[in-house]
Amino acid sequence: MDLSLVLHIMVAAVAAGTPFVFAALGELVTEKSGVLNLGVEGMMLVGAITGFIAMAKSGSLLLAVVSGMAAGAAMAAVFGVLTLTLMANQVASGLALTIFGMGLSAFLGLDYTSFALPGVAELHLPLLSDLPVIGPLLFSYDVLVYSSVVLFVAVSWFLYKTRAGLLLRGIGEAPESAHALGYNVIGIRYLAVLFGGAMAGLGGVYLSVAYTPVWVEGMVAGRGWVSLALVVFATWRPLRVMAGAYLFGGITIAQFHVQGFGIEIPSQLLSMLPYIATIIVLVVISRDQQTIRLNSPASLGKTYHPENQ
Amino acid sequence: MKSLFGLLIPLCAVLLALVMGAVMLFTLGADPLSGYATMFGAAFGSIEGFSETAVKSIPLLLVGVGICIAFRANVINIGGEGQMVMGALLATTVALLFPGVPSLVLIPMVLLAGAVGGAFWGAIAGALKAWFNVSEILSTIMLNIVAVQFMNFLLRGILIDPAEVARGTGIPQTMRLSPNADLPILIEGMRMHLGVVIALLVAVGAYMLLWRTSMGFRLRAVGYNPDAARYAGISVPKNVTAALAFSGAMAGIAGAILVFGSESHRMVTDGGSTGFTGSAGFNGIVVALLAGLHPIWSIPSALLFGGMLVGANALQRVAQVPSALIIALNGLIVVFVVSSEYFKKRYMESGRVDVESDAEETEEVKNG
């Protein structure tokens, strides 16, 4: 195995992991506030097609990103109204959102089936990108990949270094206490849900505009669900979300190279690998219930009734 | 009182979704009223149409009934797609192994194989939840993807039609399966086949299981309050696994019926899951939620969604309206059903319901 191949796999793994970084970090913030939104897949799909259409019509990446995020947030707003205002079951509402998103994105994307976009050019940083090894490894991506890293830093900083982040986590742990202290639990949860939606939408845009810039119905292909699994895998910690996303990206990419090493495994069996690996990782993580209970927001998935206080 | 109000909510949800659908139809430049007339006319307006609707409803009903059982035990089974695929694969294998067995034996055999395949796939997720605390929501989704790749592997490998290999076309499908396993047509010249009867029997059977057996009582007890159930000596892990196994078995039967009730009498893959299941694994959840997680109410619910699928095809033919509209409508219906919980609660709090039905409603709300 030569160095350039390893480098190639690592670079590809980062690109493959980036949609998970967006979606899983967004979901992490939502879950930290105590809300479980299972609609990530649907929000990603709607974000993907909206961004795709915006890109196809305007050619502006900024517009694609903004509209994709807005679409994801709009989907999340529906979820917010259902679960926070109407106090519906979060699991059922999240499923509904995903099913709705699958239909809506297929519907919106009809005229764009197999339509190809030019993609997003990599940023070429003078000097840095030309460095050997480090150049391709760190400075050979498009602007969205760098944004995802910025997002990671921002989310980590927000959650653990700001007052607002502390409040958000506090609401996830004990909404009643936050309510008693005079904080608007529902309002803050709305913001967290909307943020999660916007990030899922952005993850979708990255997929449809940059990663594989061709519209195919259902192109998110389970990545929203994997993002949900990543949050559990990461025991609700941003750094581990990031690591998990690139790890999953790496496994996804590695399967394309296994045959290159002369190992004869049918491609279908190889493409099961990332998902089987996810299940195994979930088994390993979930066995340690103490860590899970310690790190998962205590009120996660539970409907909060302000009038019951 | 309870039944009247219980019926009102799904009806309102469907109506609201149809109104939203009308808006979408209008924006597409189609006349909403004639569009809906086309849809429902095609689905329910003739015996032929209804036969088509009934056939489309079979997988929806079976998966939906399975979802009822799982959700009642507070197990969220999103693995219908994978369980259908695994059931169909095992049933197909049985039909390929024993092509000579007479129909009277072979049909029950393949249906049983379907149930076993689906139950096995469901039980994996169940056991992972029961003994390893792995969220079944995530594991069933992952198992869906694994099952689809396994199907692609088998249908491109050992199960492929030898004629495809000989011709070099390599379409990933089995050979025409033994005619002995064909599900008999119920009405001459129409598509309605034995699968309809089987699905109805399963729905009734699931109702009996849930409310007339101690097994069903245990499942519901575990779903309603696992701590109390444990205290009463009911094994929570076993019942969680059982719930997913039952749920998977029904999806597996649906998968088998899709193969042996199909017009080509083969199992075919297009590489994804929807090509085989038609997303019934997901839409079954919609069916069950609309039916208030009741197996018997799932029958009209499945017919409605089956009819919408048939109608959507007609709409596409007649008015060039994309059938994806209907998937979006399905989602809207769930959105409205889910949101109706709030109004249900408000209604109950207004004190117009007698105590007994109030308790039952609360149980349904919690399970929903």
Side-chain angles (χ1 to χ4, degrees):
Chain A
M1 201 169 10
D2 59 315
L3 188 68
S4 71
L5 182 63
V6 177
L7 208 60
H8 177 78
I9 292 179
M10 286 173 79
V11 169
V14 169
T18 297
F20 302 114
V21 174
F22 283 123
L25 282 177
E27 178 68 13
L28 175 78
V29 171
T30 304
E31 291 194 12
K32 274 285 181 192
S33 81
V35 182
L36 178 67
N37 185 354
L38 292 183
V40 182
E41 181 87 7
M43 299 189 296
M44 283 181 86
L45 274 166
V46 174
I49 185 59
T50 315
F52 191 90
I53 294 174
M55 188 73 177
K57 291 244 188 238
S58 71
S60 150
L61 179 63
L62 184 68
L63 204 64
V65 166
V66 170
S67 49
M69 285 171 68
M75 290 285 284
V78 174
F79 177 82
V81 171
L82 288 175
T83 57
L84 300 174
T85 304
L86 298 181
M87 288 174 279
N89 179 305
Q90 291 179 9
V91 169
S93 307
L95 286 180
L97 198 67
T98 287
I99 294 172
F100 176 57
M102 293 196 295
L104 186 65
S105 61
F107 178 70
L108 292 173
L110 275 169
D111 297 339
Y112 295 91
T113 305
S114 301
F115 189 95
L117 291 177
V120 178
E122 289 140 13
L123 280 189
H124 189 86
L125 305 165
L127 291 177
L128 289 177
S129 300
D130 301 324
L131 289 172
V133 184
I134 300 188
L137 191 58
L138 295 181
F139 304 106
S140 67
Y141 304 102
D142 60 57
V143 61
L144 288 172
V145 175
Y146 295 117
S147 321
S148 72
V149 179
V150 173
L151 174 75
F152 158 69
V153 175
V155 165
S156 310
W157 175 77
F158 169 77
L159 281 177
Y160 297 103
K161 297 280 182 239
T162 68
R163 210 182 142 69
L166 180 66
L167 176 61
L168 182 91
R169 287 186 290 136
I171 283 176
E173 295 297 337
E176 294 82 8
S177 311
H179 177 82
L181 289 172
Y183 291 111
N184 181 356
V185 172
I186 299 291
I188 292 166
R189 284 190 168 176
Y190 257 108
L191 291 179
V193 165
L194 288 177
F195 177 79
M199 287 308 117
L202 183 53
V205 173
Y206 175 76
L207 269 178
S208 68
V209 169
Y211 189 61
T212 46
V214 181
W215 175 251
V216 183
E217 198 184 309
M219 69 180 294
V220 173
R223 286 185 179 86
W225 295 105
V226 172
S227 304
L228 279 160
L230 280 174
V231 177
V232 180
F233 163 81
T235 53
W236 293 267
R237 275 179 264 186
L239 184 64
R240 293 192 184 179
V241 165
M242 197 78 167
Y246 293 145
L247 190 67
F248 193 88
I251 301 175
T252 321
I253 294 300
Q255 77 189 28
F256 299 120
H257 294 279
V258 167
Q259 275 154 330
F261 302 138
I263 306 168
E264 285 295 322
I265 302 176
S267 64
Q268 298 91 0
L269 295 187
L270 281 173
S271 38
M272 291 179 191
L273 272 185
Y275 303 97
I276 295 178
T278 307
I279 296 176
I280 293 172
V281 166
L282 283 173
V283 169
V284 173
I285 298 278
S286 309
R287 278 185 64 188
D288 186 5
Q289 276 300 297
Q290 207 139 27
T291 317
I292 294 265
R293 235 174 282 141
L294 215 59
N295 290 290
S296 70
S299 72
L300 185 62
K302 292 183 191 135
T303 307
Y304 173 69
H305 304 266
E307 64 262 42
N308 287 358
Q309 301 305 310
Chain B
M1 200 63 179
K2 183 212 162 200
S3 58
L4 190 68
F5 190 72
L7 201 60
L8 206 61
I9 282 184
L11 280 180
C12 285
V14 171
L15 275 178
L16 270 172
L18 287 180
V19 170
M20 297 280 279
V23 174
M24 288 163 94
L25 277 173
F26 189 75
T27 55
L28 285 170
D31 175 14
L33 279 183
S34 74
Y36 279 140
T38 309
M39 258 183 74
F40 288 101
F44 300 104
S46 63
I47 301 274
E48 290 83 0
F50 185 75
S51 149
E52 204 63 33
T53 297
V55 170
K56 286 267 189 217
S57 307
I58 299 170
L60 295 173
L61 177 58
L62 284 166
V63 174
V65 165
I67 297 291
C68 290
I69 297 179
F71 280 29
R72 289 268 172 196
N74 203 13
V75 175
I76 314 295
N77 179 13
I78 323 184
E81 295 276 299
Q83 291 147 12
M84 284 175 79
V85 165
M86 294 309 272
L89 281 173
L90 194 60
T92 303
T93 310
V94 166
L96 285 170
L97 287 178
F98 308 101
V101 176
S103 287
L104 217 56
V105 184
L106 189 58
I107 290 176
M109 265 171 68
V110 295
L111 291 176
L112 186 69
V116 169
F120 168 68
W121 212 238
I124 294 178
L128 288 178
K129 178 186 168 72
W131 284 286
F132 296 96
N133 290 304
V134 175
S135 156
E136 76 282 18
I137 299 172
L138 298 175
S139 62
T140 48
I141 279 283
M142 301 299 145
L143 286 171
N144 282 348
I145 302 171
V146 174
V148 169
Q149 292 303 335
F150 190 57
M151 164 174 76
N152 292 339
F153 169 65
L154 288 184
L155 290 184
R156 285 180 192 282
I158 51 173
L159 292 185
I160 198 170
D161 184 359
E164 289 292 337
V165 181
R167 244 180 284 139
T169 37
I171 298 171
Q173 61 179 22
T174 62
M175 60 188 220
R176 197 226 182 272
L177 298 164
S178 165
N180 291 356
D182 291 0
L183 294 174
I185 300 287
L186 296 181
I187 308 169
E188 194 66 41
M190 284 183 209
R191 279 206 57 208
M192 208 187 313
H193 53 67
L194 188 68
V196 176
V197 181
I198 295 163
L200 290 174
L201 287 178
V202 168
V204 176
Y207 171 77
M208 304 291 270
L209 171 81
L210 277 173
W211 279 284
R212 296 284 180 274
T213 67
S214 58
M215 176 86 220
F217 176 78
R218 286 197 292 272
L219 287 174
R220 287 185 297 127
V222 165
Y224 192 58
N225 188 339
D227 295 323
R230 193 178 299 116
Y231 188 70
I234 299 172
S235 163
V236 176
K238 273 186 200 157
N239 281 286
V240 163
T241 313
L244 261 162
F246 274 123
S247 196
M250 287 170 196
I253 296 174
I257 290 179
L258 272 184
V259 173
F260 299 102
S262 68
E263 277 165 309
S264 66
H265 299 284
R266 302 165 190 265
M267 187 167 176
V268 192
T269 175
D270 69 346
S273 69
T274 40
F276 174 67
T277 64
S279 292
F282 286 115
N283 291 332
I285 302 174
V286 187
V287 167
L289 287 175
L290 183 68
L293 301 182
H294 196 292
I296 303 295
W297 280 110
S298 298
I299 298 169
S301 176
L303 276 176
L304 173 74
F305 286 105
M308 278 170 52
L309 290 177
V310 173
N313 289 337
L315 204 57
Q316 192 157 24
R317 271 198 317 275
V318 177
Q320 279 79 47
V321 171
S323 54
L325 177 76
I326 298 307
I327 316 175
L329 273 190
N330 284 359
L332 276 178
I333 292 178
V334 213
V335 169
F336 289 127
V337 169
V338 167
S339 60
S340 64
E341 257 179 63
Y342 174 72
F343 300 102
K344 237 182 193 172
K345 267 182 231 156
R346 284 281 297 272
Y347 178 82
M348 276 162 15
E349 277 159 16
S350 67
R352 276 180 289 163
V353 194
D354 53 294
V355 178
E356 195 186 350
S357 63
D358 192 302
E360 276 179 49
E361 293 265 11
T362 316
E363 186 191 330
E364 267 160 35
V365 169
K366 286 205 171 153
N367 287 327

